[in-house]
Amino acid sequence: MEQTLTNIVDDSGTPVQTRRALTSNSVIYEPDDVSTTGTYGWYIDLDMPRATQTTSGAANPDSSGRNPPDAQFPGEKAIRRLVLRNGAIVTTTVLPSLDEFSCYGTRPGAILVLDAVTGGDIGRPVIDFNTDGVIDENDLLEDGGDTYSAGLLFNQGDLDGALVDLSTLGGEGDADWLFACGGNDCLPFRIEPPDESRTGRLSWRELSED
């Protein structure tokens, strides 16, 4: 089952953010008839067109990439390592270069947040995207009456290079730190901690204990 990713430009704050919202389609992992063969599970195509409007209905100020209805960044790939948080997958994408003479993408890339089981919207805030120090409903995206735990497409000036693997650091209180880095720049975000006491370097005996 395909989960569809959509670019939504949120102009409710400053700066304007392009968020990445996922559908929540049901996923089939096995056929009703065990004798039936097929392909099951979920997938996501990174072929989203650029949004034409913002959440307020204004014209989208972003002109990067290709024009709709073409994919905004054809060739975008999710090839970085995954960060798991309580059933949520957090990862980054890499955008194609500006032209044949450049190794830098039109934008640094994007953070995706998805349900590890369905590949769709996780349905809760996972990252402090509005950077107010709290992971709560204010980090969700509302659009057209729907609420999403949407990812984030970075603006050109956010980082001075393409996104690399995400890194995390255990924090104090009820959240850890997530670092999104590219070039010589890093942006810190709060991220929910693992809901699991057995973390860090573990033996196979610890992992096998109930």
Side-chain angles (χ1 to χ4, degrees), residues 19-39:
R19 303 290 299 270
R20 293 271 179 92
L22 277 162
T23 53
S24 301
N25 298 323
S26 299
V27 177
I28 299 174
Y29 280 100
E30 58 184 20
D32 294 332
D33 183 354
V34 295
S35 63
T36 302
T37 60
T39 301

Side-chain angles (χ1 to χ4, degrees), residues 98-143:
L98 291 166
D99 51 48
E100 64 271 25
F101 305 106
S102 173
C103 60
Y104 185 40
T106 307
R107 289 189 179 194
I111 290 179
L112 302 182
V113 182
L114 53 141
D115 189 307
V117 175
T118 67
D121 187 85
I122 190 64
R124 70 173 193 274
V126 177
I127 299 173
D128 178 26
F129 278 124
N130 68 354
T131 64
D132 65 354
V134 182
I135 302 169
D136 58 14
E137 65 277 1
N138 293 321
D139 298 302
L140 300 174
L141 172 69
E142 293 188 6
D143 182 63

Side-chain angles (χ1 to χ4, degrees), residues 43 54 59 66 79 95 102 106 112 116 122 131 152 170 186 188 198:
Y43 68 96
T54 67
R66 294 188 179 179
I79 58 174
L95 302 187
S102 173
T106 307
L112 302 182
I122 190 64
T131 64
L152 175 68
C186 280
R198 295 172 297 181

Side-chain angles (χ1 to χ4, degrees), residues 185-201:
D185 293 333
C186 280
L187 294 175
F189 297 91
R190 302 307 298 269
I191 183 173
E192 68 176 20
D195 186 18
E196 169 61 72
S197 60
R198 295 172 297 181
T199 59
R201 189 172 182 176

Side-chain angles (χ1 to χ4, degrees), residues 6 13 30 36 45 55 76 79 82-83 117-118 138 169 172 175 191 206:
T6 302
E30 58 184 20
T36 302
D45 281 334
T55 51
E76 183 174 1
I79 58 174
L82 309 177
V83 174
V117 175
T118 67
N138 293 321
L169 178 67
E172 296 181 356
I191 183 173
E206 290 174 297

